[in-house]
Amino acid sequence: PRIIIPADVIALKQLSELENAKVWQGGKIKKYHSELSEIVRRYTEERFQFIALELTTTEIIEILKNKLDAKQIDNLRTLLQRADLAKFAKSKPIDTENTESMILAKNFVNNTKVKKGNE
């Protein structure tokens, strides 16, 4: 039988690997935020069953606003908008923002993962 690894387990492992690689500390801020955004979007696709990689941040937030609480939405918006700015507008988030983005990503996954025993 095929073993299915839960989306949250995969995402948290990938986030830890990205964090341990110290990508932004090495000056690759755009790469860091691109990877962070992709991990969160892939997790969101699996968890909420829609194609998050193909959508804008605004479209993702619109789909999730009835599924998550206001704080989770705000945190996800902050994370994805910061990544968008780093990827497309050549914005350079400061160290504390880079660290905060990782925390927001891990919190998003931990706070939205499927609880054992229910979907």
Side-chain angles (χ1 to χ4, degrees):
R2 228 178 87 213
I3 297 171
I4 297 171
I5 302 170
D8 60 284
V9 173
I10 293 168
L12 291 171
K13 179 179 184 288
Q14 291 173 334
L15 288 169
S16 290
E17 288 170 356
L18 178 59
E19 187 174 35
N20 293 335
K22 303 211 179 295
V23 174
W24 69 263
Q25 295 91 328
K28 295 180 180 156
I29 293 171
K30 180 178 176 178
K31 179 177 176 18
Y32 173 76
H33 284 280
S34 294
E35 289 185 25
L36 194 59
S37 175
E38 185 169 333
I39 292 166
V40 169
R41 286 168 182 263
R42 282 189 194 284
Y43 165 77
T44 302
E45 280 191 5
E46 280 292 316
R47 172 63 181 88
F48 297 101
Q49 299 298 303
F50 68 94
I51 305 172
L53 282 169
E54 304 297 322
L55 301 176
T56 65
T57 293
T58 304
E59 291 168 329
I60 292 170
I61 297 299
E62 189 62 31
I63 290 170
L64 292 177
K65 74 178 184 190
N66 296 324
K67 299 177 193 284
L68 303 174
D69 67 39
K71 181 152 180 58
Q72 290 170 325
I73 289 293
D74 286 343
N75 289 343
L76 181 61
R77 183 183 290 116
T78 297
L79 167 69
L80 293 178
Q81 285 178 341
R82 185 177 290 149
D84 290 346
L85 289 171
K87 292 189 304 186
F88 304 120
K90 294 187 175 36
S91 167
K92 295 248 190 277
I94 60 173
D95 293 356
T96 55
E97 291 173 324
N98 293 324
T99 302
E100 181 194 41
S101 286
M102 180 59 72
I103 293 166
L104 290 175
K106 288 182 177 181
N107 286 345
F108 175 71
V109 173
N110 280 316
N111 293 331
T112 61
K113 65 185 174 187
V114 176
K115 306 290 184 262
K116 290 202 186 315
N118 58 346
E119 275 297 306

